[in-house]
Amino acid sequence: MTGTGLDPADLSTVLAHRRWVRRSLPFPHVVAQNVFVPAFYDELERHFEHIKQAGLFQKNIRNYDAGSVLVRDHADGPLGIFVSRPWHDLVAGLFGVRATGDVTAGLHHHPPGGRAGWPHNDLNPGWFGGGWPEDDEIRHEGVDDIDYQLGPTRPGSEGRETVRGVSVLFYLDNPDWRPGDGGETGIYPSSDAVQRGTGIGVPPVNNSLVMFESTPFTWHGYAGHSRHERNSVVMWVHRRKSEAVQRWGEQSIAYW
Amino acid sequence: MLGDAFCRRYARTHDIVAVCRTRVPAVASQHESFVDPLAPDADLADNEARVFTVMADLEQPGQVDRVVELALARHDRIDVLVNGAGHQRHHPRGLVDADGAVQDLSRHLAVNVAVPLQLAVRVAQLFWRDRAAENRAENRSVVNISSLSGSRVYPRLGQGVYAASKAALNQLTRHLADEFDAFGVRVNALAPTSFPGLIPTEDVADAIARLDRETITGRVIAMEDDRPSR
């Protein structure tokens, strides 16, 4: 339960409505505005702001002009909803992905005027420790001496290699956004289209989200040039690597 | 805004081809549908009525032809053409302040007059011209979205160029009505006051639907704010 008595484990009590929008272009994705009821969104924003004011954001993502924090380390507050099993199942269910229960989620903070990110498709591997999670279980990244990107970091530790299955981006704690403010997430029909800039922008409007199945074709990236700071939660559920290889081939996996 | 309101109110009763430049209406289409995040496989009533969206910048060469051909390919017929695309830029410092108003005239005429003319003519050429009896039986028509500014002067709002384009659209409407009468297609214009500021956008959408059902032609219908002044 949260301070307002809302129970994030019961998503029906914190979602503001149940009419999200599924779009097919430039690749299949789901968008939603006013995702959470105002009382719960306010809690998410306060939690995010608390972490930001505590100076916990670190620029630790290579070639990426943003500070980040793992939600895993703050899962006991409202933001923990993004690494909860109900949220994991909702995300996987929207795209029919047989997700493993392995989750990684981060808070991102871009300063005003931050550089654009590099275009990528998110079909990356992700390592987790322990056995395959049960149906009601969540497994976080970076535990049991397993590095999310590199795998086992200590002789004798055993890890499981998965592949990202669905990507989620949720905007919060941003100044009011208006056209021309920049800071959108660009989503593109192809890698060539990234060069031409012929995609669509998903603006950083608070309490809105975009999510999509991670495939070889889901080219996207932070468009940069934001007039204001730009804050978000990014989150992935994962699928078994064998499934991704069978579907798209080993060469399609974007190794770190 | 008006297209969105019209689609939301009439997608269930009309087969709509929505021509969009940047924004699409908030209704289901061939590219978008609603999904319940907690029951993603559920059939939603909101998805039963879908519009067919066509992304097009009607100012660009060939786009009017493409839109008309796609509409006919999709539905085999066009019963009503609603010319709702519009360009509006005011010059509050007046027509003689620098060259802004002069430079903006051509785009206002292109979007507010030339595009409605091209669309009406192209639909007539490709579908209506040789179907007079069928057109009358189906009560086919054109509805041009004009503005009260096309017949009135609102001082110091800088509407001169915009208003001139809407006045031209009004007169074009009357001439089209005269010519299209030969093959049984009615042509009218709707001239609302400011929406949604003074009248609800939904009222304008409903007025379009009423004009579609009427039998009048060659009329420019004014829509004023008839609420009591406060």
Side-chain angles (χ1 to χ4, degrees):
Chain A
M1 302 288 278
T2 69
T4 54
L6 296 166
D7 180 9
D10 180 359
L11 292 177
S12 67
T13 67
V14 293
L15 293 180
H17 62 93
R18 292 170 64 171
R19 289 294 180 274
W20 293 9
V21 176
R22 193 188 290 282
R23 292 178 173 163
S24 62
L25 297 177
F27 52 73
H29 64 285
V30 167
V31 293
Q33 298 201 344
N34 302 313
V35 173
F36 296 110
V37 295
F40 186 67
Y41 173 76
D42 290 346
E43 289 194 16
L44 292 172
E45 195 166 284
R46 279 195 295 271
H47 194 185
F48 188 97
E49 189 64 23
H50 174 76
I51 294 168
K52 194 173 74 172
Q53 293 301 328
L56 299 179
F57 281 89
Q58 296 183 345
K59 284 194 177 182
N60 52 9
I61 304 176
R62 190 161 43 98
N63 297 326
Y64 197 43
D65 192 18
S68 70
V69 172
L70 285 176
V71 175
R72 177 199 70 184
D73 299 332
H74 304 273
D76 56 345
L79 288 167
I81 190 173
F82 293 106
V83 291
S84 69
R85 186 71 200 204
W87 183 259
H88 166 280
D89 291 349
L90 176 152
V91 168
L94 277 167
F95 295 93
V97 169
R98 287 192 301 168
T100 57
D102 299 298
V103 168
T104 183
L107 312 178
H108 283 186
H109 168 72
H110 290 267
R115 295 194 309 271
W118 73 100
H120 50 291
N121 64 14
D122 273 6
L123 196 62
N124 308 114
W127 287 85
F128 292 89
W132 294 105
E134 299 294 332
D135 286 348
D136 59 352
E137 197 179 358
I138 280 292
R139 201 65 52 80
H140 297 292
E141 67 168 287
V143 296
D144 297 337
D145 298 312
I146 307 297
D147 182 89
Y148 180 69
Q149 296 187 3
L150 302 175
T153 57
R154 179 177 58 79
S157 60
E158 292 188 6
R160 294 172 292 108
E161 188 179 22
T162 69
V163 170
R164 287 175 168 176
V166 181
S167 310
V168 180
L169 175 66
F170 175 79
Y171 292 118
L172 79 171
D173 200 25
N174 293 289
D176 286 342
W177 187 89
R178 295 183 179 187
D181 283 349
E184 297 98 330
T185 293
I187 61 176
Y188 307 96
S190 67
S191 57
D192 284 349
V194 177
Q195 305 302 324
R196 295 194 301 271
T198 52
I200 64 172
V202 181
V205 174
N206 285 336
N207 203 11
S208 73
L209 61 73
V210 56
M211 60 173 72
F212 48 84
E213 182 178 10
S214 310
T215 81
F217 315 109
T218 48
W219 292 101
H220 64 282
Y222 173 52
H225 310 295
S226 180
R227 185 170 295 162
H228 311 293
E229 64 177 86
R230 189 260 212 177
N231 301 311
S232 60
V233 180
V234 295
M235 176 260 179
W236 293 269
V237 302
H238 298 75
R239 67 190 343 147
R240 293 189 184 227
K241 182 182 177 184
S242 58
E243 191 181 301
V245 169
Q246 185 179 30
R247 189 165 164 191
W248 295 299
E250 173 80 34
Q251 82 290 344
S252 68
I253 308 298
Y255 290 98
W256 301 101
Chain B
M1 187 185 304
L2 177 57
D4 177 69
F6 186 85
C7 289
R8 281 193 279 135
R9 290 174 89 79
Y10 293 101
R12 288 180 183 280
T13 54
H14 293 64
D15 292 324
I16 298 174
V17 176
V19 182
C20 315
R21 189 168 71 95
T22 54
R23 293 175 297 176
V24 297
V27 295
S29 71
Q30 79 274 31
H31 296 310
E32 294 193 4
S33 58
F34 294 100
V35 60
D36 180 346
L38 297 180
D41 296 326
D43 291 327
L44 302 182
D46 293 344
N47 290 328
E48 289 173 4
R50 292 186 178 226
V51 302
F52 181 65
T53 57
V54 177
M55 302 306 295
D57 181 347
L58 295 172
E59 290 181 86
Q60 299 304 311
Q63 291 302 297
V64 166
D65 288 359
R66 172 176 162 261
V67 162
V68 175
E69 286 163 4
L70 280 171
L72 288 171
R74 180 73 178 83
H75 292 297
D76 290 326
R77 60 194 284 169
I78 295 175
D79 292 337
V80 57
L81 167 66
V82 180
N83 276 312
H87 178 63
Q88 182 174 11
R89 185 169 179 203
H90 294 176
H91 307 90
R93 294 185 179 178
L95 295 170
V96 297
D97 181 64
D99 293 327
V102 175
Q103 289 169 353
D104 284 346
L105 177 63
S106 59
R107 182 150 193 236
H108 278 85
L109 293 176
V111 178
N112 298 349
V113 186
V115 166
L117 173 63
Q118 290 167 17
L119 278 164
V121 166
R122 204 70 183 127
V123 176
Q125 290 171 335
L126 292 179
F127 188 68
W128 286 337
R129 190 184 59 196
D130 305 310
R131 291 179 166 85
E134 182 183 315
N135 293 338
R136 290 191 176 92
E138 298 292 342
N139 194 28
R140 289 175 173 145
S141 73
V142 177
V143 179
N144 292 325
I145 304 304
S146 184
S147 165
L148 270 188
S149 300
S151 59
R152 298 190 187 171
V153 174
Y154 296 100
R156 296 183 181 82
L157 292 182
Q159 292 187 338
V161 170
Y162 170 71
S165 71
K166 290 301 187 182
L169 180 63
N170 292 348
Q171 193 65 353
L172 177 67
T173 298
R174 298 179 182 107
H175 277 274
L176 283 172
D178 179 56
E179 292 195 23
F180 281 26
D181 185 58
F183 44 87
V185 173
R186 299 179 298 110
V187 184
N188 295 288
L190 204 55
T193 186
S194 177
F195 60 89
L198 297 178
I199 57 174
T201 305
E202 290 74 15
D203 286 3
V204 184
D206 291 345
I208 294 171
R210 275 199 304 277
L211 264 181
D212 179 39
R213 296 191 298 268
E214 296 267 4
T215 57
I216 58 175
T217 190
R219 298 276 299 278
V220 177
I221 309 295
M223 290 186 69
E224 308 202 40
D225 176 17
D226 53 5
R227 295 172 303 179
S229 57
R230 283 165 288 186

